[in-house]
PDB file of all heavy atoms in Angstrom:
ATOM      1  N   ASP A 285      96.423 100.847  84.193  1.00 97.00           N
ATOM      2  CA  ASP A 285      97.345 101.487  83.252  1.00 97.00           C
ATOM      3  C   ASP A 285      98.682 100.758  83.156  1.00 97.00           C
ATOM      4  O   ASP A 285      99.634 101.290  82.577  1.00 97.00           O
ATOM      5  CB  ASP A 285      97.582 102.943  83.649  1.00 97.00           C
ATOM      6  CG  ASP A 285      98.234 103.086  85.027  1.00 97.00           C
ATOM      7  OD1 ASP A 285      98.123 102.134  85.842  1.00 97.00           O
ATOM      8  OD2 ASP A 285      98.837 104.148  85.294  1.00 97.00           O
ATOM      9  N   MET A 286      98.736  99.545  83.656  1.00 97.00           N
ATOM     10  CA  MET A 286     100.000  98.819  83.701  1.00 97.00           C
ATOM     11  C   MET A 286     100.597  98.583  82.315  1.00 97.00           C
ATOM     12  O   MET A 286     101.818  98.559  82.152  1.00 97.00           O
ATOM     13  CB  MET A 286      99.800  97.478  84.420  1.00 97.00           C
ATOM     14  CG  MET A 286     101.071  96.693  84.652  1.00 97.00           C
ATOM     15  SD  MET A 286     100.759  95.279  85.727  1.00 97.00           S
ATOM     16  CE  MET A 286     102.331  94.432  85.621  1.00 97.00           C
ATOM     17  N   ASP A 287      99.764  98.407  81.328  1.00 95.00           N
ATOM     18  CA  ASP A 287     100.259  98.109  79.987  1.00 95.00           C
ATOM     19  C   ASP A 287     100.414  99.343  79.113  1.00 95.00           C
ATOM     20  O   ASP A 287     100.694  99.228  77.914  1.00 95.00           O
ATOM     21  CB  ASP A 287      99.329  97.096  79.298  1.00 95.00           C
ATOM     22  CG  ASP A 287      99.364  95.733  79.960  1.00 95.00           C
ATOM     23  OD1 ASP A 287     100.432  95.354  80.473  1.00 95.00           O
ATOM     24  OD2 ASP A 287      98.321  95.046  79.971  1.00 95.00           O
ATOM     25  N   ASP A 288     100.273 100.523  79.708  1.00 96.00           N
ATOM     26  CA  ASP A 288     100.367 101.747  78.908  1.00 96.00           C
ATOM     27  C   ASP A 288     101.792 102.036  78.453  1.00 96.00           C
ATOM     28  O   ASP A 288     102.012 102.694  77.434  1.00 96.00           O
ATOM     29  CB  ASP A 288      99.839 102.952  79.698  1.00 96.00           C
ATOM     30  CG  ASP A 288      98.329 102.927  79.851  1.00 96.00           C
ATOM     31  OD1 ASP A 288      97.685 102.028  79.272  1.00 96.00           O
ATOM     32  OD2 ASP A 288      97.794 103.792  80.575  1.00 96.00           O
ATOM     33  N   ARG A 289     102.784 101.578  79.225  1.00 96.00           N
ATOM     34  CA  ARG A 289     104.181 101.824  78.880  1.00 96.00           C
ATOM     35  C   ARG A 289     105.014 100.605  79.230  1.00 96.00           C
ATOM     36  O   ARG A 289     104.765  99.937  80.226  1.00 96.00           O
ATOM     37  CB  ARG A 289     104.721 103.041  79.637  1.00 96.00           C
ATOM     38  CG  ARG A 289     106.185 103.330  79.331  1.00 96.00           C
ATOM     39  CD  ARG A 289     106.725 104.508  80.113  1.00 96.00           C
ATOM     40  NE  ARG A 289     108.165 104.641  79.901  1.00 96.00           N
ATOM     41  CZ  ARG A 289     108.940 105.518  80.536  1.00 96.00           C
ATOM     42  NH1 ARG A 289     108.400 106.335  81.424  1.00 96.00           N
ATOM     43  NH2 ARG A 289     110.241 105.574  80.298  1.00 96.00           N
ATOM     44  N   ARG A 290     106.009 100.334  78.392  1.00 98.00           N
ATOM     45  CA  ARG A 290     106.941  99.234  78.641  1.00 98.00           C
ATOM     46  C   ARG A 290     108.339  99.797  78.800  1.00 98.00           C
ATOM     47  O   ARG A 290     108.747 100.713  78.097  1.00 98.00           O
ATOM     48  CB  ARG A 290     106.894  98.214  77.502  1.00 98.00           C
ATOM     49  CG  ARG A 290     105.483  97.704  77.257  1.00 98.00           C
ATOM     50  CD  ARG A 290     105.402  96.202  77.026  1.00 98.00           C
ATOM     51  NE  ARG A 290     104.052  95.739  77.357  1.00 98.00           N
ATOM     52  CZ  ARG A 290     103.733  95.185  78.507  1.00 98.00           C
ATOM     53  NH1 ARG A 290     104.659  94.985  79.419  1.00 98.00           N
ATOM     54  NH2 ARG A 290     102.495  94.799  78.747  1.00 98.00           N
ATOM     55  N   TYR A 291     109.086  99.221  79.755  1.00 98.00           N
ATOM     56  CA  TYR A 291     110.369  99.784  80.158  1.00 98.00           C
ATOM     57  C   TYR A 291     111.541  98.922  79.670  1.00 98.00           C
ATOM     58  O   TYR A 291     111.387  97.740  79.366  1.00 98.00           O
ATOM     59  CB  TYR A 291     110.416  99.907  81.684  1.00 98.00           C
ATOM     60  CG  TYR A 291     109.404 100.884  82.235  1.00 98.00           C
ATOM     61  CD1 TYR A 291     108.108 100.458  82.547  1.00 98.00           C
ATOM     62  CD2 TYR A 291     109.727 102.220  82.417  1.00 98.00           C
ATOM     63  CE1 TYR A 291     107.167 101.355  83.042  1.00 98.00           C
ATOM     64  CE2 TYR A 291     108.791 103.123  82.912  1.00 98.00           C
ATOM     65  CZ  TYR A 291     107.518 102.680  83.224  1.00 98.00           C
ATOM     66  OH  TYR A 291     106.586 103.562  83.703  1.00 98.00           O
ATOM     67  N   SER A 292     112.717  99.551  79.658  1.00 98.00           N
ATOM     68  CA  SER A 292     113.943  98.875  79.249  1.00 98.00           C
ATOM     69  C   SER A 292     114.653  98.274  80.456  1.00 98.00           C
ATOM     70  O   SER A 292     114.694  98.877  81.532  1.00 98.00           O
ATOM     71  CB  SER A 292     114.877  99.866  78.551  1.00 98.00           C
ATOM     72  OG  SER A 292     116.141  99.276  78.311  1.00 98.00           O
ATOM     73  N   LEU A 293     115.247  97.110  80.264  1.00 98.00           N
ATOM     74  CA  LEU A 293     116.046  96.455  81.300  1.00 98.00           C
ATOM     75  C   LEU A 293     117.530  96.798  81.186  1.00 98.00           C
ATOM     76  O   LEU A 293     118.336  96.258  81.949  1.00 98.00           O
ATOM     77  CB  LEU A 293     115.887  94.930  81.208  1.00 98.00           C
ATOM     78  CG  LEU A 293     114.567  94.324  81.654  1.00 98.00           C
ATOM     79  CD1 LEU A 293     114.623  92.804  81.509  1.00 98.00           C
ATOM     80  CD2 LEU A 293     114.262  94.694  83.106  1.00 98.00           C
ATOM     81  N   GLN A 294     117.887  97.671  80.267  1.00 98.00           N
ATOM     82  CA  GLN A 294     119.304  97.879  79.986  1.00 98.00           C
ATOM     83  C   GLN A 294     120.098  98.315  81.218  1.00 98.00           C
ATOM     84  O   GLN A 294     121.211  97.835  81.451  1.00 98.00           O
ATOM     85  CB  GLN A 294     119.481  98.907  78.874  1.00 98.00           C
ATOM     86  CG  GLN A 294     120.881  98.911  78.288  1.00 98.00           C
ATOM     87  CD  GLN A 294     121.261  97.545  77.740  1.00 98.00           C
ATOM     88  OE1 GLN A 294     120.571  97.005  76.886  1.00 98.00           O
ATOM     89  NE2 GLN A 294     122.348  96.966  78.255  1.00 98.00           N
ATOM     90  N   ALA A 295     119.556  99.218  82.018  1.00 98.00           N
ATOM     91  CA  ALA A 295     120.290  99.689  83.198  1.00 98.00           C
ATOM     92  C   ALA A 295     120.516  98.558  84.194  1.00 98.00           C
ATOM     93  O   ALA A 295     121.590  98.480  84.817  1.00 98.00           O
ATOM     94  CB  ALA A 295     119.537 100.844  83.855  1.00 98.00           C
ATOM     95  N   LEU A 296     119.561  97.673  84.361  1.00 98.00           N
ATOM     96  CA  LEU A 296     119.742  96.541  85.275  1.00 98.00           C
ATOM     97  C   LEU A 296     120.736  95.530  84.710  1.00 98.00           C
ATOM     98  O   LEU A 296     121.534  94.951  85.455  1.00 98.00           O
ATOM     99  CB  LEU A 296     118.399  95.861  85.551  1.00 98.00           C
ATOM    100  CG  LEU A 296     117.447  96.625  86.473  1.00 98.00           C
ATOM    101  CD1 LEU A 296     116.118  95.878  86.592  1.00 98.00           C
ATOM    102  CD2 LEU A 296     118.069  96.807  87.859  1.00 98.00           C
ATOM    103  N   LEU A 297     120.727  95.317  83.402  1.00 98.00           N
ATOM    104  CA  LEU A 297     121.693  94.405  82.805  1.00 98.00           C
ATOM    105  C   LEU A 297     123.104  94.985  82.865  1.00 98.00           C
ATOM    106  O   LEU A 297     124.079  94.244  83.040  1.00 98.00           O
ATOM    107  CB  LEU A 297     121.283  94.087  81.371  1.00 98.00           C
ATOM    108  CG  LEU A 297     119.992  93.273  81.245  1.00 98.00           C
ATOM    109  CD1 LEU A 297     119.575  93.148  79.783  1.00 98.00           C
ATOM    110  CD2 LEU A 297     120.151  91.880  81.862  1.00 98.00           C
ATOM    111  N   ASP A 298     123.214  96.302  82.765  1.00 98.00           N
ATOM    112  CA  ASP A 298     124.522  96.941  82.958  1.00 98.00           C
ATOM    113  C   ASP A 298     124.991  96.754  84.399  1.00 98.00           C
ATOM    114  O   ASP A 298     126.181  96.509  84.649  1.00 98.00           O
ATOM    115  CB  ASP A 298     124.433  98.429  82.631  1.00 98.00           C
ATOM    116  CG  ASP A 298     124.247  98.699  81.142  1.00 98.00           C
ATOM    117  OD1 ASP A 298     124.507  97.774  80.336  1.00 98.00           O
ATOM    118  OD2 ASP A 298     123.835  99.828  80.791  1.00 98.00           O
ATOM    119  N   LEU A 299     124.077  96.866  85.341  1.00 98.00           N
ATOM    120  CA  LEU A 299     124.411  96.622  86.745  1.00 98.00           C
ATOM    121  C   LEU A 299     124.882  95.189  86.940  1.00 98.00           C
ATOM    122  O   LEU A 299     125.857  94.933  87.659  1.00 98.00           O
ATOM    123  CB  LEU A 299     123.197  96.910  87.630  1.00 98.00           C
ATOM    124  CG  LEU A 299     123.337  96.577  89.122  1.00 98.00           C
ATOM    125  CD1 LEU A 299     124.450  97.401  89.761  1.00 98.00           C
ATOM    126  CD2 LEU A 299     122.008  96.809  89.846  1.00 98.00           C
ATOM    127  N   ALA A 300     124.214  94.238  86.303  1.00 98.00           N
ATOM    128  CA  ALA A 300     124.613  92.835  86.405  1.00 98.00           C
ATOM    129  C   ALA A 300     126.024  92.636  85.862  1.00 98.00           C
ATOM    130  O   ALA A 300     126.825  91.889  86.445  1.00 98.00           O
ATOM    131  CB  ALA A 300     123.625  91.953  85.642  1.00 98.00           C
ATOM    132  N   ARG A 301     126.364  93.297  84.758  1.00 98.00           N
ATOM    133  CA  ARG A 301     127.711  93.179  84.199  1.00 98.00           C
ATOM    134  C   ARG A 301     128.758  93.766  85.139  1.00 98.00           C
ATOM    135  O   ARG A 301     129.848  93.201  85.299  1.00 98.00           O
ATOM    136  CB  ARG A 301     127.762  93.855  82.829  1.00 98.00           C
ATOM    137  CG  ARG A 301     127.212  92.993  81.698  1.00 98.00           C
ATOM    138  CD  ARG A 301     127.494  93.601  80.345  1.00 98.00           C
ATOM    139  NE  ARG A 301     126.629  94.747  80.084  1.00 98.00           N
ATOM    140  CZ  ARG A 301     125.440  94.644  79.516  1.00 98.00           C
ATOM    141  NH1 ARG A 301     124.961  93.467  79.163  1.00 98.00           N
ATOM    142  NH2 ARG A 301     124.718  95.724  79.290  1.00 98.00           N
ATOM    143  N   ARG A 302     128.441  94.885  85.769  1.00 98.00           N
ATOM    144  CA  ARG A 302     129.378  95.478  86.730  1.00 98.00           C
ATOM    145  C   ARG A 302     129.570  94.570  87.935  1.00 98.00           C
ATOM    146  O   ARG A 302     130.680  94.427  88.458  1.00 98.00           O
ATOM    147  CB  ARG A 302     128.887  96.862  87.169  1.00 98.00           C
ATOM    148  CG  ARG A 302     128.959  97.912  86.061  1.00 98.00           C
ATOM    149  CD  ARG A 302     128.834  99.314  86.649  1.00 98.00           C
ATOM    150  NE  ARG A 302     127.549  99.537  87.291  1.00 98.00           N
ATOM    151  CZ  ARG A 302     126.463  99.956  86.657  1.00 98.00           C
ATOM    152  NH1 ARG A 302     126.490 100.163  85.343  1.00 98.00           N
ATOM    153  NH2 ARG A 302     125.342 100.167  87.319  1.00 98.00           N
ATOM    154  N   ASP A 303     128.469  93.965  88.403  1.00 97.00           N
ATOM    155  CA  ASP A 303     128.581  93.032  89.524  1.00 97.00           C
ATOM    156  C   ASP A 303     129.540  91.898  89.186  1.00 97.00           C
ATOM    157  O   ASP A 303     130.360  91.483  90.027  1.00 97.00           O
ATOM    158  CB  ASP A 303     127.204  92.459  89.882  1.00 97.00           C
ATOM    159  CG  ASP A 303     126.368  93.410  90.728  1.00 97.00           C
ATOM    160  OD1 ASP A 303     126.939  94.354  91.303  1.00 97.00           O
ATOM    161  OD2 ASP A 303     125.144  93.200  90.811  1.00 97.00           O
ATOM    162  N   GLU A 304     129.445  91.402  87.971  1.00 96.00           N
ATOM    163  CA  GLU A 304     130.309  90.288  87.585  1.00 96.00           C
ATOM    164  C   GLU A 304     131.745  90.748  87.362  1.00 96.00           C
ATOM    165  O   GLU A 304     132.693  90.106  87.827  1.00 96.00           O
ATOM    166  CB  GLU A 304     129.772  89.624  86.316  1.00 96.00           C
ATOM    167  CG  GLU A 304     130.540  88.377  85.916  1.00 96.00           C
ATOM    168  CD  GLU A 304     129.834  87.553  84.878  1.00 96.00           C
ATOM    169  OE1 GLU A 304     128.823  88.019  84.313  1.00 96.00           O
ATOM    170  OE2 GLU A 304     130.284  86.417  84.629  1.00 96.00           O
ATOM    171  N   HIS A 305     131.921  91.851  86.676  1.00 95.00           N
ATOM    172  CA  HIS A 305     133.262  92.327  86.338  1.00 95.00           C
ATOM    173  C   HIS A 305     134.011  92.851  87.563  1.00 95.00           C
ATOM    174  O   HIS A 305     135.194  92.549  87.781  1.00 95.00           O
ATOM    175  CB  HIS A 305     133.182  93.418  85.274  1.00 95.00           C
ATOM    176  CG  HIS A 305     134.511  93.943  84.839  1.00 95.00           C
ATOM    177  ND1 HIS A 305     135.128  95.023  85.447  1.00 95.00           N
ATOM    178  CD2 HIS A 305     135.378  93.525  83.864  1.00 95.00           C
ATOM    179  CE1 HIS A 305     136.296  95.255  84.879  1.00 95.00           C
ATOM    180  NE2 HIS A 305     136.465  94.366  83.909  1.00 95.00           N
TER     181      HIS A 305
END
Side-chain angles (χ1 to χ4, degrees):
D285 62 338
M286 186 171 172
D287 293 327
D288 288 355
R289 179 182 173 185
R290 305 223 157 262
Y291 295 88
S292 172
L293 288 181
Q294 195 58 57
L296 286 176
L297 293 173
D298 290 343
L299 174 62
R301 279 190 286 271
R302 291 196 297 273
D303 280 343
E304 185 166 10
H305 181 269

